[in-house]
Amino acid sequence: MNIHEFQARRIFASHGIPVPDAEVATTPDEAAAAAERFGGRVVVKAQIHAGGRGKAGGVKLAASPAEARINAEHVLGMKIKGIEVRRVLVAPAEEIASEAYVGIVLDRARQADTIMVSSEGGVDIEEVAATMPEAIRKLAVDPRYGLLNHQATLLGHHLYDDPRAARQAASILGKLYEAYRASGATLAEINPLIVNPAGEVKAIDAKMNIDDNALFRLPDIAALRDLEAENPAEARAREAELSYIQLDGNVGCCVNGAGLAMATMDLVKYYGGEPANFLDIGGSSNPEKVVTALELMTEDPGVTSILFNIFGGITRCDDVANGIVEATSRMELRVPITIRLTGTNEEEGVAILAEHGFEAMIDMDRAVETAVRRGN
Ligand code: GDP
Ligand code: MN
């Protein structure tokens, strides 16, 4: 789950990280009023679930409340990476002597929460990683001990020559790690971490991703979900308890089981197609899930062919067949559908489909090849 900068700022601040005050505004008037309270010189920042707002014109400095109003008029309603901006954050503008990067990410390859720091902050960290990987220092945290003081101190000194700044950075890293752990995060990032002319180190940006699987035990964090900021199809799929990730391709894939879903997507690519989604209807036998799955794929304008690939175990082929019949009776199918069913109650499933004019295949290769061809 993604959360907004203003939410991540509050979490960081609650763990003692120095984060300047800020207010959220949904109208230019509110932005101007916030700027007034902060003494006029402010920064106005788009609040959306995407990075690179600065480059896209979503972060603007203002010298007065009147200018803050103009900035907010400009940024509110603007689209960044296809996402409409509905809120801006207004914060006192900081004077910046230097910008650094600090982040913690769950590194699956290292199987550890990994701290990354770089004095090349402010810019895209992916770009730094690609062009000068030596500028990023990484440390895998041993979960038995957490981040130890001497480790944080070394990282602080990697960032700053000035020992006062290094000490502040070390303390901030310790707090960032606490915030990360306490929030069930898979990512916590400050970019940029700044030093101001007075030598104070502060976080002026905040980003967090939360592990969906941690939300059941963290109701306060779960409540931060902003449904309006999420992909509507994915939000609907989550409600229906489907695992669904929208992709850019044209072959809609409805599969039971994550492993089979991955294998199906591989095979779609093998036969020259592009999967339009990852969709796992899970191991249950609920025809309603099939209905929602078919609706999601049908509503995706990029889909030109739909493929069902069901390996019946706990999932029963006749239930899936009933779901397909039910769903197609409720809506117009605008693209060809290819069905492969095998396993539990396969014969019943095939018979139900045949009764309603659908042909079901048993062979996965043949079905995928057919679905790809029909989509071209
Ligand atoms: P992002 O581009 O989405 O990561 O948004 P950021 O919050 O990181 O802002 C982008 C850039 O805008 C920063 O790297 C800074 O250079 C600049 N910026 C943001 N806030 C301030 C501020 O308070 N004062 C100044 N002088 N620059 C700022
Ligand atoms: Mn940033």
Side-chain angles (χ1 to χ4, degrees):
M1 178 180 85
N2 255 317
I3 63 173
H4 289 291
E5 175 191 358
F6 72 89
Q7 298 168 320
R9 277 177 171 245
R10 285 177 198 157
I11 294 175
F12 288 0
S14 75
H15 284 270
I17 295 173
V19 181
D21 256 355
E23 283 184 32
V24 177
T26 54
T27 64
D29 277 349
E30 284 174 17
E36 191 79 58
R37 281 192 288 279
F38 290 133
R41 276 182 45 81
V42 292
V43 59
V44 176
K45 307 176 73 178
Q47 296 297 286
I48 48 157
H49 289 168
R53 297 163 301 170
K55 264 192 226 156
V59 176
K60 292 189 179 302
L61 289 166
S64 66
E67 221 173 289
R69 179 195 306 274
I70 293 167
N71 286 349
E73 272 167 10
H74 196 86
V75 173
L76 287 165
M78 162 182 206
K79 279 202 169 175
I80 299 177
K81 296 180 181 166
I83 311 169
E84 189 183 333
V85 180
R86 299 160 191 270
R87 275 182 286 215
V88 291
L89 179 123
V90 181
E94 295 291 327
E95 282 186 60
I96 301 177
S98 73
E99 302 190 42
Y101 171 93
V102 302
I104 306 176
V105 62
L106 172 62
D107 184 331
R108 291 173 198 276
R110 292 171 184 240
Q111 303 184 350
D113 297 318
T114 299
I115 302 192
M116 295 186 291
V117 304
S118 172
S119 46
E120 302 295 321
V123 286
D124 236 348
I125 195 65
E126 286 82 2
E127 206 175 300
V128 180
T131 56
M132 40 176 162
E134 68 286 349
I136 303 175
R137 173 114 176 204
K138 293 186 181 180
L139 172 85
V141 180
D142 186 325
R144 291 172 298 181
Y145 313 124
L147 178 63
L148 299 170
N149 282 337
H150 71 276
Q151 296 174 318
T153 302
L154 279 173
L155 292 171
H157 281 280
H158 179 78
L159 284 177
Y160 302 117
D161 292 333
D162 172 9
R164 285 183 312 144
R167 257 199 303 279
Q168 293 174 68
S171 153
I172 288 171
L173 281 171
K175 289 163 179 163
L176 187 65
Y177 182 71
E178 281 167 24
Y180 172 96
R181 296 286 299 183
S183 311
T186 53
L187 174 112
E189 205 177 71
I190 304 172
N191 188 24
L193 180 73
I194 61 154
V195 183
N196 70 10
E200 293 166 328
V201 181
K202 300 183 191 185
I204 64 162
D205 192 10
K207 181 170 168 56
M208 281 186 117
N209 288 344
I210 310 292
D211 182 352
D212 280 341
N213 294 316
L215 296 177
F216 77 96
R217 63 181 169 85
L218 298 168
D220 292 352
I221 302 285
L224 300 179
R225 189 186 286 285
D226 179 2
L227 283 174
E228 285 193 348
E230 299 194 339
N231 176 319
E234 290 181 9
R236 210 165 109 217
R238 192 174 42 250
E239 250 165 59
E241 293 177 15
L242 301 167
S243 307
Y244 175 79
I245 315 260
Q246 203 161 1
L247 303 167
D248 299 329
N250 66 306
V251 181
C253 304
C254 178
V255 188
N256 68 314
L260 186 61
M262 298 299 280
T264 305
M265 291 162 65
D266 280 349
L267 212 53
V268 166
K269 293 202 88 137
Y270 177 81
Y271 283 112
E274 286 292 333
N277 59 267
F278 170 98
L279 201 172
D280 172 12
I281 59 168
S284 91
S285 279
N286 178 357
E288 271 306 311
K289 279 193 176 183
V290 179
V291 174
T292 309
L294 201 52
E295 282 170 358
L296 287 169
M297 289 186 290
T298 306
E299 285 163 23
D300 178 347
V303 169
T304 58
S305 174
I306 290 176
L307 167 68
F308 273 83
N309 184 14
I310 304 299
F311 188 87
I314 299 168
T315 308
R316 291 169 28 185
C317 291
D318 52 334
D319 278 326
V320 175
N322 279 325
I324 294 172
V325 169
E326 168 74 28
T328 49
S329 72
R330 278 198 228 163
M331 67 180 143
E332 192 87 41
L333 262 189
R334 53 167 188 84
V335 299
I337 181 167
T338 308
I339 306 164
R340 182 256 183 163
L341 291 174
T342 191
T344 310
N345 292 3
E346 160 187 320
E347 278 166 28
E348 290 87 335
V350 172
I352 292 166
L353 288 169
E355 252 172 64
H356 293 85
F358 295 104
E359 183 211 353
M361 303 181 191
I362 304 297
D363 184 74
M364 172 155 157
D365 268 90
R366 199 163 79 83
V368 174
E369 195 182 2
T370 307
V372 170
R373 186 166 27 80
R374 286 175 172 165
N376 289 337

